[in-house]
Amino acid sequence: MMAHPKVAVVILNWNGKHHLEQFLPSVTRSVYPGMEIIVGDNASSDGSVSFLETHYPQVRIIRNRENYGFAGGYNAVLSQVEADYFVLLNSDVEVTPDWIGPVVRLMEADPRIAAAQPKLLSFQNRTCFEYAGAGGGFLDVLGYPFCRGRVFDTVEQDHGQYDDDTEVFWATGAALFIKSSCWKEAGGLDADFFAHMEEIDLCWRLKNLGYRIMYCGRSTVFH
């Protein structure tokens, strides 16, 4: 593979112009060679597309004919994207400049790694972990999801306790790195979920195929 694998950062949007205005600038400041930024639009009616065309001509827009939800929307958009890595990024995530490189280097080091996530901190309270993924996701014996740094509605402050690289059970869909070959092998997200829990299902299926899911504590984003 080339020295810098091609990375497609794909933001799914549905009437989220206000999020694009606030958070897209940080994504455009990402430092990584060979990065393409794509907004997949789920048939928005709030002027999102015209806003992007006017202010972000460097961003590729892929339009869905209707609102397919999170899972179906990403499946439709990513079927039209060619890259070594897909990054599924929520529209309300602020990234740090060097958030891509550490995760890609971690994933390149082992062909069995299919997906990974960065450290997820709270945008509202930047010293605390964020519920949607925190320091990497697991399931308890009853099947309830929890994260390092977040159990139910209790979140920890970030004191560097999860600055490691470690294997997890599931990686957050708020900032999900996945090798495109593994995405295709697993068949993408299960659209029956529409939204929520779909990333846990995808990671579970990847693990059943023999792959590993990782957390990269050297990359940080805010959600």
Side-chain angles (χ1 to χ4, degrees):
M1 194 171 276
M2 66 191 93
H4 292 289
K6 184 181 177 187
V7 172
V9 177
V10 186
I11 298 167
L12 192 67
N13 175 69
W14 181 67
N15 291 337
K17 179 185 170 191
H18 57 296
H19 286 324
L20 297 172
E21 290 172 338
Q22 183 174 5
F23 294 99
L24 191 55
S26 74
V27 182
T28 63
R29 291 192 291 270
S30 302
V31 179
Y32 183 83
M35 175 191 68
E36 181 182 20
I37 301 173
I38 298 167
V39 172
D41 187 75
N42 258 341
S44 294
S45 57
D46 68 342
S48 295
V49 171
S50 58
F51 165 75
L52 290 168
E53 290 173 335
T54 301
H55 297 283
Y56 293 96
Q58 75 273 33
V59 172
R60 179 184 170 194
I61 304 167
I62 298 177
R63 298 172 178 82
N64 288 335
R65 288 191 301 274
E66 57 187 274
N67 179 15
Y68 296 125
F70 184 88
Y74 264 119
N75 288 345
V77 169
L78 290 177
S79 69
Q80 304 172 63
V81 176
E82 290 295 327
D84 299 303
Y85 286 84
F86 298 149
V87 183
L88 285 62
L89 185 70
N90 278 14
S91 60
D92 59 346
V93 170
E94 177 188 290
V95 301
T96 51
D98 186 30
W99 67 291
I100 295 176
V103 185
V104 171
R105 288 192 291 273
L106 172 65
M107 296 179 71
E108 285 286 282
D110 183 351
R112 294 179 301 141
I113 296 174
Q117 70 159 82
K119 178 194 290 187
L120 204 69
L121 297 180
S122 168
F123 178 75
Q124 303 294 343
N125 185 354
R126 298 168 82 88
T127 63
C128 285
F129 284 93
E130 209 270 338
Y131 76 95
F138 296 89
L139 296 179
D140 69 13
V141 293
L142 298 176
Y144 284 101
F146 68 97
C147 307
R148 296 190 310 162
R150 189 274 294 173
V151 177
F152 292 111
D153 58 353
T154 301
V155 294
E156 298 176 24
Q157 284 206 299
D158 176 22
H159 301 297
Q161 67 270 43
Y162 305 123
D163 282 357
D164 55 352
D165 298 335
T166 192
E167 187 166 357
V168 294
F169 190 85
W170 58 272
T172 176
L176 177 66
F177 287 67
I178 183 167
K179 290 172 179 170
S180 60
S181 58
C182 297
W183 170 272
K184 292 167 187 171
E185 183 180 350
L189 295 167
D190 184 340
D192 285 347
F193 284 96
F194 195 78
H196 302 301
M197 303 294 287
E198 69 292 313
E199 78 268 56
I200 298 176
D201 171 74
L202 173 60
C203 290
W204 200 330
R205 287 185 281 118
L206 288 167
K207 290 182 76 70
N208 286 343
L209 291 170
Y211 290 110
R212 303 173 70 202
I213 315 297
M214 298 295 292
Y215 163 85
C216 179
R218 290 166 291 119
S219 168
T220 300
V221 301
F222 298 90
H223 181 230

